[in-house]
Amino acid sequence: MQTSDVDHDRLLTALRSLLAAKGITTAAEIAERITITDAATPARGAAMVAKAWVDPEFRTLMLTDGARAAESLGIPMRGMPPLGVLENTRTQHHLVVCTLCSCYPRAVLGYPPFWFKSNSYRARAVRDPRRLLAEWGTVLGDDVALRVVDSTADYRWMVLPVRPMGTRGWSEAALAGLVREGDMIGVTTPQLPSGTATLAK
Amino acid sequence: MTELADKDVPRALHDMGGVSRYMCEAVDTEPHELTDFDREVDAIRQLLGAKSVMSVDELRRGIEALPEADYLRLSYYQRWLLSMTATLLQKGVFTQAELAQAMKDIP
């Protein structure tokens, strides 16, 4: 097939009709699969992180077997690769990349974001990670070790970030609201909303 | 026998870790919404996997086999679509003639 001059929209239409004609996939199945996939968002991972911050038993489970921890919160993990969870501390930060393509903990974070799939992120994360993080405004102190972990198709990683100071007594839901997609890959760290920051510490 | 060091082995294009060519390229950290095209390609790939028609490894092999110019020019899900089409042709799920006919039949 000549790839250089393909009309991709037409090719997708042709593929869809061929797969339907062969009895492999129906339009209804495709629509259902899109709905299911769209339902996986970073809110799932954020719920896991918040629970780990308040529930030591769950934290242990999450660090031991991420997929089982996700399932215990009702997150569907069937057919998904195993999920490893990397625990950040005040002296150890983790960053997740997939240098070969885009392997991402989709079950708990949803579709990989554009930057995660970009050539520059894939290239630089393993060679110049501190300057890469600075592009998100994330500056690690010299006393913080940085470990970069390369995902594979068969094993996915997410980061358990450090709970921000000044959140004692916060509800699990309020804590989950602090946790963003990038916090669970390691390009950012959870921050208190501006205004509350002055109360921290 | 001298063993080849990693640095002596030619790198495949998709093997991006640490390559110099992107060291000075800023990361586009802005969110990019997926299109309907993107979502449908993703969904079909999942269904082909769930039905054991085609695996993730086959998807990757097909992406990694793209000519360099295509790999760099195409969007993420355009690469997927080309890999899926090539893989399904190779596996005989449908023929080149059937694909050509299906393309022609589009109004």
Side-chain angles (χ1 to χ4, degrees), chain A residues 24 41 120 140 148 159:
Chain A
I24 295 173
T41 73
S120 55
L140 302 178
V148 181
V159 172

Side-chain angles (χ1 to χ4, degrees), chain A residues 32-33 36-37 40 44 65-72 74-83 106-108, chain B residues 45-47 49-51:
Chain A
E32 182 196 23
R33 180 46 54 184
I36 291 170
T37 310
R44 290 188 173 167
D65 185 341
R68 225 156 42 96
E71 270 173 340
S72 78
I75 300 168
M77 296 298 289
R78 207 160 62 94
M80 295 290 185
L83 175 67
R106 292 179 51 147
V108 291
Chain B
R45 210 310 297 164
Q46 290 184 56
L47 288 169
K51 293 165 185 275

Side-chain angles (χ1 to χ4, degrees), chain A residues 69-191:
Chain A
E71 270 173 340
S72 78
L73 297 189
I75 300 168
M77 296 298 289
R78 207 160 62 94
M80 295 290 185
L83 175 67
V85 180
L86 304 157
E87 184 183 31
N88 281 354
T89 67
R90 304 271 170 214
T91 55
Q92 175 70 67
H93 188 84
H94 292 88
L95 177 68
V96 179
V97 65
C98 175
T99 60
L100 296 180
C101 186
S102 55
C103 293
Y104 193 71
R106 292 179 51 147
V108 291
L109 296 190
Y111 296 102
F114 183 82
W115 51 262
F116 188 82
K117 304 181 290 194
S118 70
N119 297 342
S120 55
Y121 182 80
R122 288 158 56 191
R124 293 173 55 204
V126 293
R127 181 148 161 203
D128 187 22
R130 285 179 195 254
R131 260 191 292 193
L132 179 78
L133 292 184
E135 282 175 36
W136 274 268
T138 303
V139 179
L140 302 178
D142 292 340
D143 56 336
V144 180
L146 173 57
R147 184 170 166 231
V148 181
V149 177
D150 205 349
S151 289
T152 70
D154 303 317
Y155 206 95
R156 309 298 166 98
W157 295 100
M158 74 175 277
V159 172
L160 172 57
V162 175
R163 178 172 174 169
M165 304 277 226
T167 57
R168 185 174 299 183
W170 283 37
S171 72
E172 221 175 290
L175 288 169
L178 292 178
V179 183
R180 299 158 302 170
E181 175 179 66
D183 303 338
M184 295 178 277
I185 292 300
V187 292
T188 51
T189 56
Q191 304 292 325

Side-chain angles (χ1 to χ4, degrees), chain A residues 1 11-12 14-16 18-20 22 24-25, chain B residues 41 44-45 47-49 51-55 58-59 61-62 80-96 98-99:
Chain A
M1 183 174 46
L11 179 56
L12 176 57
L15 180 66
R16 185 197 303 133
L18 274 174
L19 291 174
K22 301 276 177 189
I24 295 173
T25 54
Chain B
V41 172
I44 292 174
R45 210 310 297 164
L47 288 169
L48 294 176
K51 293 165 185 275
S52 302
V53 177
M54 170 183 169
S55 70
E58 287 172 320
L59 175 74
R61 192 191 63 82
W80 279 36
L81 177 63
L82 290 185
S83 168
M84 286 157 59
T85 307
T87 304
L88 295 173
L89 282 169
Q90 269 170 27
K91 300 185 81 167
V93 174
F94 48 77
T95 65
Q96 190 73 60
E98 288 172 318
L99 177 61

